[in-house]
Amino acid sequence: MSVVGATLQVVFVGVGAPLLVGVMRQARARLEGRAGAGIRQPWRDLRKLMRKQAITPHGTGWVFRAAPLLLAGTTLVVAAVVPLVTTDSPLDGVADLFAVTALLALGSVALALGALDTGTAFGGMGASREMTVLALVEPTILVSTFALSIKAGSTSLGAIVTATADNPLSVISPVSVLAAIALAIVTIAETGRIPLDNPSTHLELTMIHEAMVLEYAGPDLALVEWASAMRLSVLLGLLAGLFFPLGIAGADAGPLALAVASIALVLKVGVLGVVLAVGEVFMAKLRLFRVPELLAGSFLLALLAVAASFFLA
């Protein structure tokens, strides 16, 4: 059943990620007094982009074309490894929290290299900013999750989620609270959401993620947008699984347990997405020079979580 569970996770993330973005946009639209385009609009946008001709800027090489494929591919692998529907993954033996963090970083680095390959000012600026954020985000993901792994005795994400499910009261411990706050901040940063970035901005000087994809068009842009939506879904699912593993199927789960876990995943990620969208309505984007300060603070919280984990062990 581990293969079935991993396949379900990939299908849910691949199909449901654009719908999650649509739900978040619709929630924002309602709060702002607009009708909104509907939750299926992101899928319509992707379909429209896939029908367009692929355009490659003059002077770019294979790095530019390979970056969207690598970004989408690494995200799909992470979706198969992270315990979203089940804690039993066929890749558990070779993929733990270190591998997941490395895969997320690999996708970001690939997109930054693709932006640099264009040789444009905004591509280089966006890549530089993305690497600054990456240098603070990825260590925080690693350290905060490592704080939870100390109690579980394993760096396997499935084992960490299983330990939390067996002892739900551990969520209210200082270690879990500090790690949850740190992971929530870096999730917002990794997915380019307000207040750290604005995915809908049209001001090039304020862009971080969007500045790297200005030269992409057609199917390449569709892959980038799809991968970005999947990363949002995976990170929200990981956040929900680590601190609220209600409904996640275990290693010996049957079809009914997987069905219940799938419904629980949709509800948890949907709720987190709506909460994030509501927060964006009432928050303004931070100044660019304040972003490293906030991310450094999240890294400090992750270090405190590790220290508290060793102290309370």
Side-chain angles (χ1 to χ4, degrees):
M1 295 300 288
S2 61
V3 176
V4 176
T7 303
L8 276 176
Q9 293 184 173
V10 173
V11 171
F12 271 103
V13 170
V15 176
L19 296 178
L20 174 64
V21 175
V23 169
M24 294 175 64
R25 291 178 181 175
Q26 194 68 18
R28 289 194 60 178
R30 293 296 185 181
L31 288 174
E32 293 170 354
R34 298 181 287 111
I39 64 174
R40 291 183 295 175
Q41 186 59 40
W43 265 121
R44 299 188 190 105
D45 294 338
L46 292 177
R47 183 178 59 185
K48 179 178 66 175
L49 289 172
M50 290 300 295
R51 292 176 177 177
K52 292 185 176 182
Q53 179 183 0
I55 300 175
T56 303
H58 178 71
T60 56
W62 63 270
V63 174
F64 180 82
R65 294 301 303 272
L69 294 172
L70 192 56
L71 179 65
T74 54
T75 307
L76 288 173
V77 174
V78 170
V81 175
V82 171
L84 302 176
V85 173
T86 176
T87 58
D88 186 20
S89 171
L91 301 176
D92 272 344
V94 294
D96 56 4
L97 69 91
F98 297 100
V100 168
T101 306
L103 286 170
L104 291 173
L106 179 61
S108 299
V109 171
L111 192 60
L113 290 175
L116 288 174
D117 194 33
T118 63
T120 61
F122 286 122
M125 180 185 67
S128 174
R129 293 176 177 178
E130 179 70 12
M131 290 300 98
T132 301
V133 173
L134 180 71
L136 293 170
V137 165
E138 302 301 335
T140 303
I141 295 177
L142 184 63
V143 173
S144 56
T145 312
F146 179 72
L148 302 175
S149 72
I150 295 175
K151 179 174 56 179
S154 172
T155 57
S156 169
L157 291 173
I160 297 172
V161 172
T162 300
T164 305
D166 293 340
N167 185 18
L169 294 180
S170 64
V171 176
I172 59 176
S173 66
V175 176
S176 296
V177 172
L178 291 171
I181 296 174
L183 272 178
I185 294 174
V186 297
T187 296
I188 296 173
E190 180 73 16
T191 55
R193 311 298 302 190
I194 293 176
L196 300 178
D197 194 9
N198 187 357
S200 60
T201 184
H202 297 287
L203 300 175
E204 290 86 352
L205 292 177
T206 65
M207 291 178 175
I208 297 179
H209 176 268
E210 298 301 318
M212 296 189 296
V213 302
L214 287 176
E215 301 299 324
Y216 284 102
D220 292 332
L221 181 58
L223 271 178
V224 172
E225 295 293 341
W226 182 48
S228 298
M230 288 194 295
R231 286 167 76 94
L232 173 63
S233 301
V234 167
L235 288 172
L236 289 181
L238 176 61
L239 188 65
L242 288 174
F243 302 101
F244 191 65
L246 180 65
I248 293 183
D252 300 326
L256 180 59
L258 290 177
V260 173
S262 301
I263 296 174
L265 172 67
V266 172
L267 292 176
K268 289 187 289 188
V269 173
V271 169
L272 286 178
V274 171
V275 169
L276 182 57
V278 171
E280 290 179 350
V281 175
F282 298 100
M283 287 188 294
K285 182 181 179 300
L286 289 175
R287 293 175 58 191
L288 182 63
F289 296 109
R290 298 295 300 274
V291 172
E293 297 177 4
L294 179 61
L295 295 179
S298 68
F299 182 67
L300 177 60
L301 291 177
L303 289 177
L304 290 175
V306 172
S309 182
F310 279 114
F311 180 76
L312 298 176

